[in-house]
Amino acid sequence: MTDCLGDGAGDMTPMDLYEKLTSQGDTVRTLKTEKAAKADIEAAVQLLLKLKVDYKQVTGQDYKTGCPPSECAVSQDNGPAAAADGEDMVDPWNVSTTNAKGVDYDKLIVRFGSSKIDQELVDRIERVSGQKAHRFLRRGIFFSHRDMHQVLDAYEKNKSFYLYTGRGPSSEALHVGHLIPFIFTKWLQDTFDIPLVIQLTDDEKYLWKDLSLEDCHRYTVENAKDIIACGFDINKTFIFSDLDYMGASPDFYRNVVKVQKHVTFNQVKGIFGFGDSDCIGKIAFPAIQAAPSFSNSFPQIFKGRKNVQCLIPCAIDQDPYFRMTRDVAPRIGYPKPALLHSTFFPALQGAQTKMSASDANSSIFLTDTPKQIKNKVNKHAFSGGKDTVEEHRKYGGNPDVDVSFMYLTFFLEDDEQLEKIRQDYASGALLTGELKKRLIETLQPMITSHQERRKQVTEETVKQFMTPRPLDFNF
């Protein structure tokens, strides 16, 4: 699962981009003339549109056929994959927005063609599971889905499903944002009593980052300890490293090859924006992230069955991988995976900013001490309050852009308490310093408790979770 920044248009000169655009335009015309497959044409058009956005970002001009960029065009540093006309940019490597409230998720649903998780679906999940919906569902943190109603239809007919999520291990320490999919996945596992597979994409991090294979694998083991500390049931959970499992599982590799055969280079360029200078490992990787969506990739768990439905909780930026997977699945005889998409966890500096594992002040890390948590929140958490106490008391603060309030929506369980904090802050009754104090008091025991649980995770425990084996479940 990716969580890194890819190579952006900033590495190319305006003329490089112009020539690439011209060439891609020719490719689109050739495909249409030759009446190529619809999927190939659509993928080529998508890449053409992406290149036009990159061109405008770099040159400040719209692309025009036969009109090379003017020599006075200056490269604009708009950050990674900044989108044209104020549009949010969201892909597996880049997330950027100009809005202090963060990405416009309603627009993203339309762009990606997914479905909104509405109150009706939340109510149905409660009804089918017999449990109160998780706060992430109640508050719209998981906000979008693909085929969740189909999963519930089958579950009501006593047809079970399994969960698949993952992590790209690019550093030893995780930050609190990395916990979001795991907190929710644990709730789903406990609520529906189902098996879970967790993919650690150490191969991907080696391909994308300037890291050695040994470092990537070491990060995998360290990240696995934090994931295990979330409380997953060892009898229902299999965690695997791509570097270890793919070579040891012929069934998994067979599914990788099936996916690779059914996705063209044009399609993968259109979906992911790969260029001619990207290594071939990157181009082949999406099939590896697709393979866990199919139950017969894990014969030790599902006894060779290929029809067990998969549900994938993940951040919305991972959706391109699984749009590709869902397109391929019926062509190779498998059910399409269903998805639940989460919003992005904001950096301390504000929702426009992407958290970075290399910037210690951009988030709260799971290794932070109570004192570090307090200092980070007080010094770096973006405030929606007014400049003076008098103004704040009179006009109130804006909880929609205040990072401390945003973090509380993720981690404070009590809905009524959260709503009271919102109202008090918006009215001016609650000051920014008091709001930050509430967040500090919420985070400190949560992180300390996680650290204590992680200390109990031994190398032997990790080995048990990562050993291919039958899981305690009967299908």
Side-chain angles (χ1 to χ4, degrees), residues 115-393:
S115 302
K116 188 178 178 67
I117 295 179
D118 54 17
Q119 192 56 47
E120 180 191 348
L121 179 54
V122 174
D123 292 343
R124 188 176 180 206
I125 291 170
E126 288 190 336
R127 209 164 50 246
V128 172
S129 68
Q131 301 285 331
K132 182 180 179 181
H134 193 276
R135 63 181 181 273
F136 291 173
L137 283 170
R138 301 195 306 265
R139 295 172 191 167
I141 289 166
F142 274 80
F143 70 99
S144 160
H145 75 99
R146 295 186 187 277
D147 289 346
M148 188 59 192
H149 279 293
Q150 184 179 308
V151 171
L152 295 173
D153 288 343
Y155 189 78
E156 286 182 315
K157 295 172 186 169
N158 295 318
K159 288 183 182 174
S160 198
F161 59 98
Y162 73 101
L163 297 164
Y164 157 38
T165 193
R167 156 98 184 119
S170 57
S171 61
E172 271 187 39
L174 273 62
H175 55 61
V176 285
H178 291 136
L179 287 181
I180 302 308
F182 297 112
I183 290 170
F184 187 59
T185 301
K186 180 184 176 342
W187 180 82
L188 287 168
Q189 182 185 58
D190 293 345
T191 299
F192 290 98
D193 189 27
I194 46 176
L196 160 67
V197 296
I198 299 174
Q199 181 183 46
L200 297 177
T201 56
D202 37 15
D203 53 345
E204 176 223 359
K205 290 307 168 195
Y206 175 69
L207 294 167
W208 262 268
K209 295 270 193 177
D210 185 20
L211 296 168
S212 69
L213 269 177
E214 292 71 28
D215 280 343
C216 292
H217 197 264
R218 182 167 55 82
Y219 294 155
T220 289
V221 174
E222 292 306 310
N223 286 190
K225 290 176 183 176
D226 278 304
I227 292 166
I228 292 165
C230 292
F232 290 108
D233 184 343
I234 194 168
N235 297 311
K236 295 188 178 73
T237 306
F238 173 48
I239 302 173
F240 65 99
S241 141
D242 282 345
L243 290 174
D244 289 339
Y245 187 62
M246 196 157 105
S249 174
D251 298 87
F252 187 92
Y253 183 59
R254 284 189 175 102
N255 278 339
V256 170
V257 172
K258 284 180 186 178
V259 174
Q260 287 172 339
K261 182 170 182 174
H262 288 80
V263 180
T264 68
F265 183 46
N266 273 332
Q267 284 174 298
V268 93
K269 280 198 297 184
I271 296 166
F272 301 102
F274 295 140
D276 294 341
S277 61
D278 282 309
C279 71
I280 59 173
K282 290 183 180 181
I283 295 152
F285 174 75
I288 299 171
Q289 187 159 321
S293 309
F294 310 129
S295 56
N296 63 347
S297 292
F298 307 99
Q300 70 278 10
I301 302 172
F302 301 109
K303 303 176 178 66
R305 282 182 57 183
K306 65 178 187 178
N307 62 344
V308 184
Q309 173 88 54
C310 176
L311 175 63
I312 305 169
C314 62
I316 187 75
D317 61 337
Q318 297 300 301
D319 190 67
Y321 281 106
F322 300 115
R323 289 203 299 275
M324 180 199 78
T325 307
R326 284 167 57 83
D327 177 61
V328 170
R331 291 190 277 145
I332 57 177
Y334 299 147
K336 294 180 180 182
L339 287 102
L340 292 169
H341 300 125
S342 74
T343 59
F344 302 115
F345 192 81
L348 282 169
Q349 286 77 10
Q352 304 110 307
T353 318
K354 185 177 174 68
M355 284 180 296
S356 168
S358 60
D359 180 0
N361 292 322
S362 70
S363 190
I364 306 296
F365 284 77
L366 301 183
T367 50
D368 285 347
T369 64
K371 186 177 179 183
Q372 285 174 316
I373 293 168
K374 181 179 179 181
N375 289 340
K376 281 186 183 182
V377 171
N378 283 331
K379 285 183 183 176
H380 300 291
F382 183 80
S383 167
K386 297 295 183 285
D387 291 338
T388 66
V389 171
E390 291 75 19
E391 282 184 12
H392 188 88
R393 293 287 191 209

Side-chain angles (χ1 to χ4, degrees), residues 66-82:
C67 297
S70 62
E71 291 180 8
C72 62
V74 180
S75 176
Q76 299 173 354
D77 184 12
N78 291 336

Side-chain angles (χ1 to χ4, degrees), residues 362-470:
S362 70
S363 190
I364 306 296
F365 284 77
L366 301 183
T367 50
D368 285 347
T369 64
K371 186 177 179 183
Q372 285 174 316
I373 293 168
K374 181 179 179 181
N375 289 340
K376 281 186 183 182
V377 171
N378 283 331
K379 285 183 183 176
H380 300 291
F382 183 80
S383 167
K386 297 295 183 285
D387 291 338
T388 66
V389 171
E390 291 75 19
E391 282 184 12
H392 188 88
R393 293 287 191 209
K394 186 175 180 181
Y395 301 111
N398 183 356
D400 292 335
V401 301
D402 190 288
V403 166
S404 295
F405 184 78
M406 289 181 191
Y407 277 30
L408 284 172
T409 64
F410 282 87
F411 298 120
L412 189 65
E413 177 61 35
D414 192 309
D415 291 339
E416 289 181 11
Q417 206 177 351
L418 185 69
E419 182 54 30
K420 185 173 190 317
I421 291 170
R422 171 190 277 281
Q423 291 175 3
D424 287 352
Y425 193 61
S427 71
L430 189 71
L431 298 174
T432 295
E434 294 167 332
L435 177 57
K436 288 187 173 186
K437 185 169 182 284
R438 294 298 298 271
L439 175 62
I440 292 163
E441 290 169 351
T442 302
L443 286 176
Q444 283 176 332
M446 184 186 96
I447 302 297
T448 301
S449 175
H450 179 89
Q451 290 167 354
E452 287 168 359
R453 290 193 304 273
R454 192 186 190 281
K455 281 179 193 169
Q456 308 303 314
V457 179
T458 63
E459 298 291 328
E460 181 58 32
T461 309
V462 173
K463 187 178 175 184
Q464 288 172 349
F465 268 95
M466 298 187 75
T467 298
R469 66 204 188 281

Side-chain angles (χ1 to χ4, degrees), residues 11-50:
D11 297 330
M12 303 181 74
T13 67
M15 187 53 75
D16 286 340
L17 270 171
Y18 174 79
E19 290 173 355
K20 194 169 181 180
L21 253 169
T22 303
S23 170
Q24 188 62 19
D26 293 340
T27 299
V28 171
R29 280 187 288 277
T30 301
L31 288 170
K32 287 181 176 178
T33 302
E34 294 175 352
K35 293 186 168 54
K38 185 182 175 186
D40 286 349
I41 294 172
E42 286 179 355
V45 170
Q46 284 299 313
L47 179 56
L48 182 67
L49 294 173
K50 183 180 186 301

